[in-house]
Amino acid sequence: MMQAVGFQRCAATEFFDCFAGTTKENTARKYGVRGANFIAYKQ
Amino acid sequence: MEQFCEITLDRERLKSEIRSTYSLVAETPTGDFHFHRGPEYAARQLGYDGEELSMLPGASTASFAGVGNPFRVREMPSGAFVIDLGSGAGMDCLLAGRRVGRQGRVLGVDMTDAMLDLARTSAGKADMPQVEFAFGEITDLPIDDASVDLAISNGVINLAVDKPAVFKELYRVLKPGGWIQFADIVIDQELSEKARNDIDLWVG
């Protein structure tokens, strides 16, 4: 999606278990929902 | 291959629900929400520096509800112009303000008045005139073309129905050579059409 508008060198750099300990923890695990860090550049 | 799922929900109702939920977070950060809030969570699960967070006004950190940590992606250069999409109570803007210094500028954009009030008060308490906040939507930023060095965001782009429009808008405001370093939600499985259009699941 980022590349489609022109961004380059797009990458996910790290993932976070941000729903651990919440009421949605089981749902998040079932569907693989996580937080993630991203970077992308405009040339 | 790019894939875009059809979203047919009522976009104005979604925006209204987002404003309502995050107004509640601003007013009662210890309330009952399905997502974590606060500086202890940020330090424990997202790798923020707890000592640095303790130096910020408590109102800016108590309502923090991010999902990752943009500051672990790349260092922020001193003197840069940084924008924060969906700046909430302003915690990430204040951290960015410490990094860019008074020669730099940080502009947080948010569409929830209660969050903007908290963030502006906190920037004043922190004596950071380089940190400002503006009302706006992330698909229509109140920012000039090619004026921004880098953009951050934390758990907000997932709330936009038209995500390509968000990235187009970011591309518009960034200078050539500028970049985005942000955190957001990812999902390993495709959701059903019913789930994709359930506003309660979008907002919680």
Side-chain angles (χ1 to χ4, degrees), chain B residues 41-123:
Chain B
Y41 154 68
R44 183 184 65 246
Q45 289 180 228
L46 306 179
Y48 280 82
D49 180 340
E51 190 172 333
E52 185 178 21
L53 295 183
S54 72
M55 292 188 277
L56 301 179
S60 72
T61 59
S63 296
F64 168 80
V67 299
N69 184 345
F71 297 91
R72 288 167 66 96
V73 178
R74 184 180 161 172
E75 292 291 320
M76 291 184 183
S78 176
F81 177 24
V82 178
I83 62 168
D84 182 4
L85 273 62
S87 46
M91 183 180 104
D92 282 347
C93 285
L94 296 180
L95 294 175
R98 289 169 58 88
R99 285 152 180 76
V100 302
R102 293 205 174 192
Q103 304 305 312
R105 182 185 175 208
V106 180
L107 179 65
V109 178
D110 205 282
M111 66 174 192
T112 303
D113 288 324
M115 285 293 191
L116 288 166
D117 290 344
L118 278 183
R120 288 178 176 131
T121 301
S122 292

Side-chain angles (χ1 to χ4, degrees), chain A residues 18-33:
Chain A
C18 57
F19 288 101
T22 72
T23 56
K24 296 291 186 185
E25 179 173 1
N26 289 339
T27 304
R29 294 208 188 288
K30 178 180 176 183
Y31 291 103
V33 183

Side-chain angles (χ1 to χ4, degrees), chain B residues 2-203:
Chain B
E2 294 285 346
Q3 287 188 324
F4 299 99
C5 300
E6 185 180 10
I7 307 292
T8 57
L9 53 72
D10 182 337
R11 296 179 184 211
E12 289 307 312
R13 190 186 147 218
L14 174 62
K15 275 194 258 184
S16 173
E17 293 287 340
I18 291 169
R19 286 192 178 104
S20 175
T21 296
Y22 287 92
S23 292
L24 279 175
V25 173
E27 291 158 8
T28 316
T30 55
D32 184 21
F33 302 97
H34 80 265
F35 44 84
H36 287 298
R37 286 88 54 213
E40 292 81 13
Y41 154 68
R44 183 184 65 246
Q45 289 180 228
L46 306 179
Y48 280 82
D49 180 340
E51 190 172 333
E52 185 178 21
L53 295 183
S54 72
M55 292 188 277
L56 301 179
S60 72
T61 59
S63 296
F64 168 80
V67 299
N69 184 345
F71 297 91
R72 288 167 66 96
V73 178
R74 184 180 161 172
E75 292 291 320
M76 291 184 183
S78 176
F81 177 24
V82 178
I83 62 168
D84 182 4
L85 273 62
S87 46
M91 183 180 104
D92 282 347
C93 285
L94 296 180
L95 294 175
R98 289 169 58 88
R99 285 152 180 76
V100 302
R102 293 205 174 192
Q103 304 305 312
R105 182 185 175 208
V106 180
L107 179 65
V109 178
D110 205 282
M111 66 174 192
T112 303
D113 288 324
M115 285 293 191
L116 288 166
D117 290 344
L118 278 183
R120 288 178 176 131
T121 301
S122 292
K125 284 183 179 173
D127 190 25
M128 285 196 199
Q130 71 271 36
V131 179
E132 303 167 81
F133 297 91
F135 182 91
E137 296 190 17
I138 61 176
T139 51
D140 186 19
L141 295 167
I143 298 168
D144 292 340
D145 294 356
S147 61
V148 173
D149 293 298
L150 73 120
I152 62 174
S153 185
N154 198 344
V156 173
I157 296 172
N158 72 88
L159 296 171
V161 173
D162 191 350
K163 294 171 181 60
V166 177
F167 290 113
K168 283 178 190 169
E169 186 67 346
L170 280 167
Y171 200 84
R172 178 185 71 76
V173 302
L174 282 171
K175 296 174 182 174
W179 68 93
I180 52 177
Q181 56 186 86
F182 69 100
D184 222 303
I185 294 294
V186 294
I187 185 166
D188 289 340
Q189 299 179 32
E190 185 174 337
L191 293 172
S192 68
E193 183 178 356
K194 182 181 177 190
R196 291 199 304 269
N197 292 292
D198 184 338
I199 286 180
D200 289 339
L201 289 179
W202 280 74
V203 181

